[in-house]
Amino acid sequence: MPIKLPNDLPVREILEEENIFVMDEDRALHQDIRPIQICILNLMPIKEDTELQILRMLSNTPLQIDVTFMKMTSHISKNTAKSHLDTFYYSFEELKKRHFDGLIVTGAPVELYEFEEVDYWEEITRVFSWCNTHVTSTLFLCWGAQAALYYYYGLPKRKLDAKLFGLFRHRIYNRKTPLLRGFDDEFWIPHSRYTEVPVEEIVRCEALTILAQSEEAGVALCMADKGRKIFMMGHPEYDRMVLRNEYVRDQRKGLDTALPKNYFPGDDVGKRPVLVWRAIANNLYTNWLNYYVYQSTPYNLDGTPWGDLIPDNYR
């Protein structure tokens, strides 16, 4: 089924070239169904790259999806044109009265700052609070996951001795959880970060259920509130060449970033990386949309008092 996007969104053309069914706003108005309302809080510097990566993931579902992009107004983006943000993104103030079936909070390259030092920290905590009453399920990615774990449960992050960078093997736990339907016992996904939430802190938090963990990368996936909050520490949405591009960028900046682990065949930068995480990424997003968004959300999204939909053990 299609993703409904603004008619002039630049990545739309790329998605259509990849045979992803994209519906324009005019055609969507004539559909006699309620599309799933998904909001993406995009905190990454190059917005269009992240838009493309996540929209690819959302396209692998039979559901019709209406996507809205959110921005933080307390931060000035240096890598995305203001015209793009003004045209396709909304502020929290513009969206705070709306309800959404799902929200995705991306990572951000601010890990080495304390959370309270991030210029949009106060603004994003308002979004985190709003999630409790206006979003059916939220998927937090990388720094977004670390920030949410800190905000909701007080879990600290700690700086790693070196950048965790590359492909890492993970083992699943709690297989009967619907989010893991169709997963193999082990899977690979990319990580690219300088900090982590310590495993022991997550284990001690009774609100959290660990779903996937790596010997090298720590906890990769956990959830709370029966799936109303899902935390993914890695980047399953990354395209084949993202880690390669990050490595080249770091080298040009003079950083001592090591080669991404388990990524280039024979650790040869000239060789094309093997894409081994796309299927598991598609599965994760499809399960999230199906079991935690579509099957849990009301039909009349804006007209239903949200507090009445949340069981007591979710509050």
Side-chain angles (χ1 to χ4, degrees), residues 234-252:
H235 285 285
E237 78 282 358
Y238 269 8
D239 296 336
R240 183 194 305 269
M241 304 303 287
V242 171
L243 293 183
R244 181 262 180 199
N245 294 340
E246 286 190 14
Y247 175 72
V248 171
R249 178 201 63 196
D250 285 0
Q251 292 299 303
R252 288 174 177 169

Side-chain angles (χ1 to χ4, degrees), residues 14 37 41 52 56 69 120 135 139 144 149 189 191 204 210 224 232 252 259 266 271 274 276 300 311 314-315:
I14 299 174
Q37 299 289 328
L41 173 51
L52 184 58
R56 283 186 179 126
F69 293 104
Y120 50 80
V135 179
L139 176 60
L149 288 170
I189 58 167
H191 288 263
R204 278 199 292 265
I210 295 175
M232 165 52 74
R252 288 174 177 169
L259 275 173
K271 291 186 177 179
V274 178
V276 296
N300 186 2
Y314 280 19
R315 298 178 191 273

Side-chain angles (χ1 to χ4, degrees), residues 9 22 28 68 94 110 113 187 201 222 224 241 250 276 278 308:
L9 187 71
V22 178
T68 301
E94 293 173 306
V110 294
Y113 294 98
F187 63 91
E201 296 287 348
C222 59
M241 304 303 287
D250 285 0
V276 296
R278 177 61 57 81
D308 295 343

Side-chain angles (χ1 to χ4, degrees), residues 36 38 60-63 65 136-137 178-179 181 282-297:
I36 297 297
I38 300 295
N60 290 286
T61 171
L63 305 172
I65 298 171
T136 303
S137 179
L179 190 64
R181 295 262 172 95
N282 287 337
N283 206 21
L284 174 70
Y285 277 82
T286 297
N287 286 347
W288 173 62
L289 286 170
N290 183 26
Y291 297 112
Y292 299 92
V293 177
Y294 172 69
Q295 294 192 29
S296 300
T297 198

Side-chain angles (χ1 to χ4, degrees), residues 44-80:
M44 294 295 280
I46 305 176
K47 307 297 184 189
E48 292 179 60
D49 287 355
T50 304
E51 291 165 12
L52 184 58
Q53 293 162 15
I54 293 180
L55 291 173
R56 283 186 179 126
M57 297 295 100
L58 296 177
S59 71
N60 290 286
T61 171
L63 305 172
Q64 181 174 316
I65 298 171
D66 187 347
V67 174
T68 301
F69 293 104
M70 186 194 296
K71 62 183 176 182
M72 295 283 91
T73 56
S74 45
H75 174 78
I76 298 175
S77 179
K78 299 177 182 178
N79 298 280
T80 299

Side-chain angles (χ1 to χ4, degrees), residues 42-264:
N42 188 353
L43 304 172
M44 294 295 280
I46 305 176
K47 307 297 184 189
E48 292 179 60
D49 287 355
T50 304
E51 291 165 12
L52 184 58
Q53 293 162 15
I54 293 180
L55 291 173
R56 283 186 179 126
M57 297 295 100
L58 296 177
S59 71
N60 290 286
T61 171
L63 305 172
Q64 181 174 316
I65 298 171
D66 187 347
V67 174
T68 301
F69 293 104
M70 186 194 296
K71 62 183 176 182
M72 295 283 91
T73 56
S74 45
H75 174 78
I76 298 175
S77 179
K78 299 177 182 178
N79 298 280
T80 299
K82 183 178 183 297
S83 60
H84 183 85
L85 293 171
D86 290 345
T87 302
F88 301 112
Y89 281 71
Y90 296 86
S91 69
F92 174 64
E93 287 298 314
E94 293 173 306
L95 297 176
K96 67 182 182 180
K97 293 184 179 180
R98 289 183 56 183
H99 293 90
F100 289 90
D101 301 298
L103 171 69
I104 298 171
V105 180
T106 73
V110 294
E111 302 162 74
L112 297 180
Y113 294 98
E114 296 299 326
F115 291 118
E116 292 85 357
E117 293 176 347
V118 175
D119 57 5
Y120 50 80
W121 179 248
E122 182 179 350
E123 187 176 9
I124 201 173
T125 59
R126 294 173 62 205
V127 175
F128 290 164
S129 176
W130 169 81
C131 289
N132 291 324
T133 53
H134 288 72
V135 179
T136 303
S137 179
T138 302
L139 176 60
F140 302 94
L141 304 175
C142 199
W143 182 85
Q146 294 183 6
L149 288 170
Y150 177 72
Y151 173 80
Y152 291 118
Y153 311 111
L155 302 191
K157 64 176 179 177
R158 66 183 173 200
K159 185 179 178 181
L160 298 167
D161 294 334
K163 185 177 183 179
L164 183 73
F165 190 43
L167 284 175
F168 297 91
R169 185 197 304 268
H170 304 76
R171 186 164 186 83
I172 70 165
Y173 299 88
N174 295 290
R175 172 173 286 282
K176 292 183 179 180
T177 304
L179 190 64
L180 300 177
R181 295 262 172 95
F183 275 57
D184 295 326
D185 289 341
E186 296 183 340
F187 63 91
W188 297 79
I189 58 167
H191 288 263
S192 177
R193 51 188 166 88
Y194 292 94
T195 59
E196 68 175 359
V197 179
V199 173
E200 59 271 20
E201 296 287 348
I202 295 175
V203 170
R204 278 199 292 265
C205 184
E206 295 182 358
L208 296 171
T209 300
I210 295 175
L211 301 180
Q213 189 170 338
S214 165
E215 291 184 3
E216 293 184 85
V219 173
L221 183 63
C222 59
M223 62 183 280
D225 291 348
K226 295 185 177 180
R228 291 201 67 230
K229 300 181 182 73
I230 295 171
F231 310 91
M232 165 52 74
M233 309 300 179
H235 285 285
E237 78 282 358
Y238 269 8
D239 296 336
R240 183 194 305 269
M241 304 303 287
V242 171
L243 293 183
R244 181 262 180 199
N245 294 340
E246 286 190 14
Y247 175 72
V248 171
R249 178 201 63 196
D250 285 0
Q251 292 299 303
R252 288 174 177 169
K253 289 182 176 180
L255 302 178
D256 60 353
T257 304
L259 275 173
K261 295 187 68 173
N262 309 309
Y263 180 63
F264 292 112

